[in-house]
Amino acid sequence: MSHDQRPARMRVVADAAASRGNAVDTSDAQQAQAGAPGAAAPKGLPIVPALIFIIACAIGGAVVTYLMAGAH
């Protein structure tokens, strides 16, 4: 293996974020924030975008078939 293909040396650091004071605060005071929770996202697949996608796929398939077989 040539010199430029050798893997670089790696330094192992136990927990660099905690040692610099950037640790995540998981206290109850930090987690209990005032305010209403955000609106929940609607469950399931939206039907209108799904139908538009299916129709677009069918149209695209018809166009490809026309160009490959019918346009000769």
Side-chain angles (χ1 to χ4, degrees):
M1 186 182 304
S2 68
H3 180 68
D4 60 340
Q5 293 177 338
R6 279 191 211 146
R9 292 184 184 188
M10 295 178 62
R11 285 186 355 191
V12 178
V13 179
D15 191 2
S19 66
R20 289 191 306 251
N22 295 335
V24 177
D25 185 10
T26 58
S27 65
D28 291 336
Q30 177 69 22
Q31 298 299 325
Q33 297 175 352
K43 303 288 184 213
L45 182 67
I47 194 70
V48 174
L51 288 176
I52 292 172
F53 176 76
I54 297 295
I55 292 169
C57 287
I59 292 171
V63 168
V64 168
T65 302
Y66 174 75
L67 293 176
M68 296 303 288
H72 289 4

